[in-house]
Amino acid sequence: MQLNRDALLQAYRRMRTIREFEERLHIENRTGEIAGFTHLYAGQEAVAVGVCEHLTDKDWIASTHRGHGHCIAKGCDVGGMMKEIYGRADGLCKGKGGSMHIADLDKGMLGANAIVGGGPPIAVGAAIAAKLAGEGHVAVSFTGDGGSNQGTVLEALNMAAVLKVPKIFVFENNGYSEHTGAAYALAGQDLGRRVEGFGIPVFRADGFDFFSVYEAMRQALEVSRTGGGPAAVYATCTRYFGHFEGDPQNYRAKGEVEKFREESDCLKGFRARVTDAGLIDAATLDAIDAEVLAEIDAATIAAKSAAPPTAADVLTDVYISY
Amino acid sequence: MPVITLREALNEALHLEMARDPRVIVLGEDVSGGAGGTSGQRDAAGGIFGVTKGLIHKFGDGRVIDTPISESCIIGAANGAALAGLRPVAELMFADFVGVAMDQIFNQAAKFRYMFGGKARTPLVIRMSFGAGMNCAAQHSQTIYPFMTAVPGLKVVVPSNPYDAKGLLLTAIRDDDPVVFFEHKALYSRKGEVPDGDYMIPFGEAALVREGEHATIVALGRMVPFAEKALEKLNAEGITCDLIDPRTTSPLDEETILESVSNTGRLVVVDESPPRCSVASDIAAIVAQKGFRDLKAPIQIVTAPHTPVPFARELERAYVPGPAQIEAAVRKVLADG
Ligand SMILES: Cc1ncc(C[n+]2csc(CCOP(=O)(O)OP(=O)(O)O)c2C)c(N)n1
Ligand SMILES: [Mg+2]
């Protein structure tokens, strides 16, 4: 795998940024200042970053309700995201969308999506556009274990295969859809085999390991960027927090998350790997940690004090008023 | 009489009817929850809003069915189960997810009885939370009941208080036709007196929530308590109104509305939906058509604007019609004639 020092540092910074962003939101959520539903991505950073480090602004991604990680990995402005989550006038979507609808078309980010299964068909369309443009760009959709049971996702798999479009399906099996385990709801259990049934090559990855996801995505792109049609990355992972902020998590065994945090954490794993190999020293990573912490702190403070939209803004961005 | 929340009232109705009628089943995402989880605890959710809590412990996972995220198939399976003799109560969690299940609702369930020459019965209830007020943004806050009301073959229920919610849900489950049952998410914790036992509220019978003489207000769901608030202020100035809660938008109790308008001569219709093709515009049209001569002033409708539901608190507050707009509309019909 060819990742130079700068690429490694960037990947680490992105993963750390997602982690700090989510850990901070988890704390801030208790102040009651953040409205609506917030679904945190902490724990799954290696997937978003392992996938998106291969992409440019001209590649598209379609995200989910748990979208903060995908947004950051795709290069969305962290300050603008934080303001959006706080519902501010200069948030990425002017406070109109909130956590579940962060989008930035300039970054190739087609939007988080509050309808489970909404994204993959949209990404098929973006892949049609990418194919017609003929510049080697791809469209990527992220889908959870729960979302993989939605008819729209199965339709997207089939259509992408039929149309042979440059579309990469990323499946993140974090073991749960809301309060229900994948052990119950995911027939056949091995989602990869389901996808292979559509004739789509599947590259399996350890979703706790950046390098594993990065490699799987590299292989998937080798298929899709060279006219081979769709491919899939199937990563198993876990989420560190509840389904949404405030979820009592009655369905989860005590200590489950702590064990993952202790033994499988993607940031710890990355750090050990690059320091053990002598590629980057710990002090450099510590410095990144400190910078990221400061960045998230500044973004949070700025978001808290930013101006909210006004009542008149309700009527903007519509094509007609009655 | 016990005072309970709307959530508890619905839960009571489900418990009562599942105990009374073994054909009743409940299905949806996380209606129990915890299946396949590592704690081994079932009923980890009891429905995302707690409406189906405890059912699995009493009636088992054969009748209380947690489904994968597959709304189209949830409603499709409920349709098939209904045709095959069960009485399913399907939960769609958020009304917005009707979008995913639309074919099974409006091409399938709504059509069977008529299209099959009266031979089929589809005793199906589709429950869902709806409405703004919790900053759930554009895809989790819509009212949706106007679309459903427009479909021949569907009955549409929009309760505003715990008493009505329980009686209407019992009627819905016992009804032989598909019923779409809308629960305002900001009303789940609304409390009210609810009798313990079994009682039914017939469809197509509006409730006269307040009596008055100067105008008629027709309001639905969360707009009913908002209208009551507006009336408190108006009453203090001696302005009184009939406040009518239709409770079901299909069938609609036209008679009660027209009779009230014949007494007051003025009509304000309040609906949380955007204005075009809303229940507000529909009721206004009916009264314009059938009660024109009774009107002393142009009808006022109070609705959300013609936009998706925005996220930010300030935006959502501006979006949702409230007591102030209702009060202003009443003053307007009084000023106009
Ligand atoms: C169409 C639709 N159905 C149901 C929901 C409610 N819902 C939101 S997230 C979720 C679980 C999704 O699970 P998964 O796809 O595994 O993603 P994860 O939450 O684990 O990231 C559900 C049921 C929804 N938002 N949209
Ligand atoms: Mg999941």
Side-chain angles (χ1 to χ4, degrees), chain A residues 119-129 131 141 150-169 171 194-195 197-200 228-231:
Chain A
I122 295 171
V124 171
I128 291 174
K131 185 175 176 179
S141 61
Q150 191 68 285
T152 51
V153 177
L154 301 167
E155 291 177 24
L157 283 163
N158 188 61
M159 199 186 286
V162 167
L163 303 181
K164 293 195 176 49
V165 287
K167 161 80 207 278
I168 299 196
F169 292 85
F171 289 100
R194 189 188 287 185
V195 176
F198 289 92
I200 295 175

Side-chain angles (χ1 to χ4, degrees), chain A residues 39-41 44 64-66 100 113-118 143-148 150 172-179 239 243, chain B residues 29-30 69-71 92-94 96-97 100 139-140:
Chain A
H39 305 83
L40 301 181
Y41 190 74
Q44 303 181 202
T64 69
H65 58 287
R66 198 177 303 288
M100 291 198 290
N113 204 314
I115 299 299
V116 171
T143 303
D145 47 286
S148 74
Q150 191 68 285
E172 299 183 75
N173 184 347
N174 65 5
Y176 295 98
S177 62
E178 280 187 1
H179 310 264
R239 58 168 153 80
H243 171 64
Chain B
E29 293 155 23
D30 285 318
I69 308 177
S70 308
E71 284 79 11
L92 274 188
M93 205 183 295
F94 288 87
D96 315 69
F97 306 165
V100 182
Q139 297 173 341
H140 278 61

Side-chain angles (χ1 to χ4, degrees), chain A residues 191-247:
Chain A
L191 187 47
R193 282 183 51 208
R194 189 188 287 185
V195 176
E196 280 159 359
F198 289 92
I200 295 175
V202 177
F203 301 95
R204 290 170 165 76
D206 172 1
F208 296 96
D209 177 3
F210 166 80
F211 297 98
S212 169
V213 177
Y214 189 84
E215 173 57 17
M217 184 64 179
R218 189 190 65 74
Q219 291 178 300
L221 282 167
E222 224 167 66
V223 174
S224 293
R225 286 214 203 271
T226 57
V233 171
Y234 178 34
T236 42
C237 49
T238 199
R239 58 168 153 80
Y240 283 173
F241 295 114
H243 171 64
F244 51 82
E245 285 304 273
D247 173 8

